[in-house]
Amino acid sequence: MANIDNNTRGKEIKSNITDNESGQLKSNGGWVQGYNGMAMVDAKSQVITYGEAFGGNNEGQYFRKFMDNAKLALPKKLRGKKFLKKGTLLADTAFFSEDNLKYFADEKMDVCIPDHNFRKRDLRFVTADRHKDDGKKTRYTVEDFEYNKKEKSYICPNGVVLKYKGEIYVDRSTFLC
């Protein structure tokens, strides 16, 4: 059966013909076909108590389904009890949404989830802008290095000497005499 669920923007989720439950996930290297994994961990004993994989980028949209399935995975004697009665749920900003916050309130769960703008208000992130790309070049080119012919080495822009520790091989068969 094809993955015809809609994403948060109402568009059909692209799937793979051999694994139609996987999805297109954004990664540091572009887009990849795969799953986004979620896990519930007991902080006291450091044990994964429940886990599930979803074929979508934003795991926050799967939170209610994840929690309902986690409840079903509990032993029968615990299922009627208040879920996470003594614990606090910690999650990242992907889980911050009006629907999820309503779910937490309805379930009377203690949660700690930062909103999407918390870095703008938190004093610990005041210097965060200095780490952003300011338009200056971020990679060095050959012109940035100084060649020392006598030592057969380069000096990098930070003043570190870079010595070549290999052998130079010239394929003389390509030369015409």
Side-chain angles (χ1 to χ4, degrees):
M1 185 172 139
N3 187 354
I4 56 172
D5 292 334
N6 290 335
N7 67 14
T8 54
R9 295 183 182 155
K11 293 182 180 178
E12 185 177 326
I13 297 172
K14 293 180 182 179
S15 64
N16 185 302
I17 198 162
T18 57
D19 186 2
N20 61 6
E21 291 182 0
S22 66
Q24 290 285 320
L25 307 176
K26 192 172 186 178
S27 72
N28 290 344
W31 292 87
V32 295
Q33 189 76 29
Y35 291 91
N36 198 343
M38 294 169 56
M40 184 176 289
V41 180
D42 177 5
K44 184 177 180 180
S45 56
Q46 299 293 305
V47 174
I48 295 176
T49 57
Y50 183 73
E52 195 168 351
F54 297 97
N57 243 351
N58 181 3
E59 65 267 15
Q61 70 184 343
Y62 301 109
F63 180 74
R64 183 173 287 200
K65 180 179 178 183
F66 177 81
M67 292 300 287
D68 291 342
N69 291 343
K71 288 178 188 178
L72 292 174
L74 288 171
K76 286 185 180 182
K77 64 181 180 178
L78 298 176
R79 286 192 193 159
K81 310 279 184 194
K82 183 179 172 197
F83 195 51
L84 295 175
K85 182 179 179 181
K86 296 179 183 177
T88 300
L89 180 92
L90 303 175
D92 64 23
T93 56
F95 293 88
F96 188 86
S97 71
E98 190 173 333
D99 289 342
N100 286 346
L101 293 176
K102 184 174 179 344
Y103 177 83
F104 301 136
D106 292 346
E107 294 288 319
K108 296 180 176 51
M109 292 172 58
D110 185 21
V111 297
C112 183
I113 301 175
D115 65 89
H116 300 286
N117 294 314
F118 81 97
R119 284 185 173 90
K120 292 179 182 174
R121 294 185 310 275
D122 194 327
L123 294 176
R124 293 173 293 181
F125 294 96
V126 169
T127 62
D129 287 340
R130 72 177 181 180
H131 302 289
K132 292 182 181 173
D133 184 14
D134 59 359
K136 295 180 182 175
K137 96 176 140 173
T138 56
R139 294 186 181 196
Y140 296 117
T141 62
V142 175
E143 290 80 25
D144 296 318
F145 293 82
E146 182 182 325
Y147 183 66
N148 183 334
K149 203 172 199 178
K150 182 180 173 187
E151 298 290 325
K152 294 184 181 174
S153 65
Y154 283 91
I155 300 172
C156 81
N158 290 330
V160 177
V161 176
L162 307 171
K163 292 188 176 183
Y164 183 74
K165 295 182 179 179
E167 292 182 28
I168 297 174
Y169 173 75
V170 178
D171 184 3
R172 298 195 186 276
S173 64
T174 59
F175 294 129
L176 298 175
C177 296

